[in-house]
Amino acid sequence: MDFILASNNKKKLGEMQRILSPLGINVVTAKMLGITLDDVVEDADSFEGNAKIKAHAACKATNMPAIADDSGICVDYLGGAPGVYSARFSGGDDEDNNDLLLEKLKGVPMEQRGAHYACAICCTFPDGKEINVQGECYGYIGFERDGNEGFGYDPLFLVDGRAFGRYSPEEKDRISHRGNALRKLVNELEKIL
C-alpha cells in the first residue's frame, strides 16, 4: 500500500521507509509519483499542528494516505527555542542554523546545554481517519560540529556523549525522536490495516 510523504526530504523518506516497510507500506514522495504538491503555510504553534496541516493537504491533493512530520530541536537554555522554528531559525540553511545555535550558547557550560529533539507525525486517510503520534529524544548540544551523518542539528546534538552526526541511520532510528514516533505510528497502523 502506498502512502505519500508530505516532504521531499530524502533522509526523512529513508527513515520512514526503513520503519514502515515491514507493514507492507511503501512510502513515496510526490516527486517519485511525478506530481507536485502545493506548498503549505506551516503556521501552527506546535509540531502536531504543522504535521496536520501538511498531511491533510497531501491527502486531499492525492487522495492517498498521507504521512507528514514536523520536528525540531528544543534547547532548555533558550526556553525551548528554536522549537517549531528549527528549520528557519537563522533564515538560512542547516549550517547557518547550527552556527546561530552555537553563537547563542557561547560560554554556556555543558550542564546547561540540555536539549531534546521532538517529532510529531500525522497520518491521515482519504476516509477521514487520522493518527497523531509524538516522539522525543533527549541529549545535549555540543560545543562544535561532529560527524557527517544525518541532517539539521545532528552534528551538534549529543546522546550518550556522541553526536547524532556520528550515528549510522540504523543506530539513529533506534533512539531518535522520529524513530520513536514512527514506532508509535506502527503500533497504531497495525490496529487498522
Side-chain angles (χ1 to χ4, degrees), residues 3-92:
F3 280 50
I4 185 142
L5 175 62
S7 171
N8 283 312
N9 183 312
K10 289 181 182 177
K11 298 211 176 189
K12 281 186 185 182
L13 175 65
E15 285 178 299
M16 294 202 179
Q17 287 175 329
R18 284 190 300 274
I19 293 174
L20 296 177
S21 64
L23 286 179
I25 294 172
N26 180 40
V27 183
V28 296
T29 63
K31 187 176 183 179
M32 292 165 69
L33 297 175
I35 60 174
T36 302
L37 293 177
D38 292 335
D39 288 333
V40 296
V41 178
E42 297 178 45
D43 57 0
D45 61 359
S46 67
F47 295 117
E48 183 177 325
N50 284 331
K52 284 183 179 188
I53 290 169
K54 294 185 278 190
H56 285 270
C59 183
K60 184 177 179 183
T62 63
N63 201 37
M64 294 172 62
I67 300 174
D69 90 309
D70 195 46
S71 54
I73 198 154
C74 305
V75 181
D76 299 344
Y77 185 81
L78 301 178
V84 294
Y85 303 103
S86 293
R88 46 195 188 274
F89 187 43
S90 68

Side-chain angles (χ1 to χ4, degrees), residues 37-193:
L37 293 177
D38 292 335
D39 288 333
V40 296
V41 178
E42 297 178 45
D43 57 0
D45 61 359
S46 67
F47 295 117
E48 183 177 325
N50 284 331
K52 284 183 179 188
I53 290 169
K54 294 185 278 190
H56 285 270
C59 183
K60 184 177 179 183
T62 63
N63 201 37
M64 294 172 62
I67 300 174
D69 90 309
D70 195 46
S71 54
I73 198 154
C74 305
V75 181
D76 299 344
Y77 185 81
L78 301 178
V84 294
Y85 303 103
S86 293
R88 46 195 188 274
F89 187 43
S90 68
D93 61 13
D94 287 351
E95 291 301 309
D96 295 326
N97 289 337
N98 283 312
D99 287 342
L100 181 58
L101 184 56
L102 286 172
E103 181 183 313
K104 289 193 174 282
L105 294 178
K106 191 171 186 174
V108 176
M110 183 58 84
E111 61 270 13
Q112 294 178 33
R113 296 170 82 96
H116 70 277
Y117 264 129
C119 174
I121 295 176
C122 177
C123 179
T124 188
F125 295 83
D127 67 4
K129 279 192 204 112
E130 181 178 295
I131 300 169
N132 293 286
V133 293
Q134 296 185 11
E136 293 85 27
C137 181
Y138 290 83
Y140 290 87
I141 302 300
F143 293 97
E144 61 187 11
R145 289 173 180 79
D146 188 18
N148 298 312
E149 294 292 332
F151 58 98
Y153 297 90
D154 288 355
L156 295 179
F157 185 68
L158 305 175
V159 176
D160 295 328
R162 186 171 156 214
F164 260 11
R166 291 209 170 269
Y167 280 73
S168 72
E170 294 75 19
E171 288 175 312
K172 185 180 169 190
D173 287 350
R174 285 194 288 275
I175 63 169
S176 77
H177 53 305
R178 191 169 296 105
N180 291 331
L182 283 168
R183 279 183 287 283
K184 291 177 184 177
L185 178 61
V186 165
N187 291 338
E188 295 302 313
L189 286 170
E190 286 176 333
K191 297 173 188 175
I192 64 171
L193 294 180

